[in-house]
Amino acid sequence: LTLWLSTQSYVYAQNLVPNPSFEEIEDCVYMGDMDGPMPCIPWFSRYSCNYFNACHPDNYGVPYNFKGFQYPKTGDAYIGGYQNAPNTDGGGEWPYVQLTEEMVQGQCYEISYWASVANESCPIDRLGAALVDDVPLELWPGTLVPQIDVQMEYFSDTLEWMLVSADMIAMGGEEYLFLGNFYEDDEKNKLILDKVSEKCYLKTNRKILDLINRHKGKFKVSYSISGTALEQFENHRPDVLQSFID
């Protein structure tokens, strides 16, 4: 589990990241396993990030919480998310936010945030940030190519905070900031794909094929599949790809 705090995206000393220390909140009731809006508006979670704040008296408090003990870098709050962890079936969890304005083509920006490893968590050797013009419908390691990709010796300190920082030249139009580990792990991609294939794709395609046969071709359906998904099917689950063809 990696904990984040104090995100920044500077141009001429202007911070484009709203609510950068995660302290402005709507309520202090539900904090954990969120896929969507987080209490620290306008931040969002993709795949079960957790929010920790000193206002919470129980599992999501600060400095004590269900992941152990950690003071914030500053203020009273931080966000937590798994990064390529086995108990998330090889996936990750990414906090993201819409910037206050789009990035300007050719402009240099500093992207920086602080990270710390939770108690009894594995060390990490790669963290970064991805800036995009829209939020992707699908997201797993390898979906986004981070402009900021900081590789380091394994960082395992559960007490101190580490600064993740680098500069980037904007392509223009970037307005969403994602934080975390974007490194593509082929083995973990297969774990994710196996799960969704068995629970979703194969069952759904069998049902649709049954409807087509039952109604003698009068029932029709069309698909739109991303290039990333097609590549993963070809590499790991050609049977799923064939189920779309059949």
Side-chain angles (χ1 to χ4, degrees), residues 89 140 186-203 232-233 235-240:
D89 293 314
W140 55 47
D186 202 48
E187 181 179 348
K188 291 182 173 64
N189 279 348
K190 185 178 185 305
L191 286 173
I192 299 172
L193 191 62
D194 284 340
K195 179 179 179 179
V196 297
S197 294
E198 299 300 329
K199 288 189 174 183
C200 177
Y201 290 121
L202 291 176
K203 289 182 179 180
Q232 293 297 318
F233 291 145
N235 291 339
H236 304 299
R237 292 300 299 259
D239 59 318
V240 176

Side-chain angles (χ1 to χ4, degrees), residues 71-89:
Y71 281 110
K73 177 65 178 177
T74 61
D76 295 320
Y78 45 75
I79 288 175
Y82 285 106
Q83 301 298 292
N84 293 341
N87 57 329
T88 58
D89 293 314

Side-chain angles (χ1 to χ4, degrees), residues 33-51:
D33 296 331
M34 291 167 283
D35 187 11
M38 302 190 75
C40 48
I41 295 172
W43 283 85
F44 283 77
S45 162
R46 180 58 67 92
Y47 306 139
S48 303
C49 288
N50 297 299
Y51 178 65

Side-chain angles (χ1 to χ4, degrees), residues 94-209:
W94 296 272
Y96 70 96
V97 70
Q98 185 175 13
L99 303 179
T100 56
E101 61 184 58
E102 293 183 5
M103 288 184 164
V104 179
Q105 183 179 10
Q107 184 62 258
C108 181
Y109 294 83
E110 174 195 337
I111 311 297
S112 59
Y113 61 96
W114 295 87
S116 177
V117 177
N119 296 95
E120 300 181 3
S121 291
C122 296
I124 191 166
D125 67 344
R126 200 166 187 174
L127 283 171
L131 283 300
V132 294
D133 59 3
D134 200 3
V135 177
L137 296 177
E138 299 174 344
L139 184 58
W140 55 47
T143 302
L144 297 179
V145 178
Q147 294 90 336
I148 307 301
D149 186 14
V150 179
Q151 300 182 49
M152 55 206 147
E153 294 183 4
Y154 277 102
F155 179 72
S156 59
D157 197 323
T158 61
L159 182 61
E160 299 297 328
W161 289 85
M162 175 186 63
L163 178 62
V164 180
S165 181
D167 295 337
M168 63 166 282
I169 303 297
M171 297 294 293
E174 299 95 334
E175 62 174 324
Y176 291 92
L177 168 68
F178 284 78
L179 302 179
N181 185 321
F182 302 90
Y183 179 63
E184 184 172 14
D185 187 311
D186 202 48
E187 181 179 348
K188 291 182 173 64
N189 279 348
K190 185 178 185 305
L191 286 173
I192 299 172
L193 191 62
D194 284 340
K195 179 179 179 179
V196 297
S197 294
E198 299 300 329
K199 288 189 174 183
C200 177
Y201 290 121
L202 291 176
K203 289 182 179 180
T204 301
N205 284 350
R206 283 195 294 267
K207 181 64 175 179
I208 289 176
L209 181 60

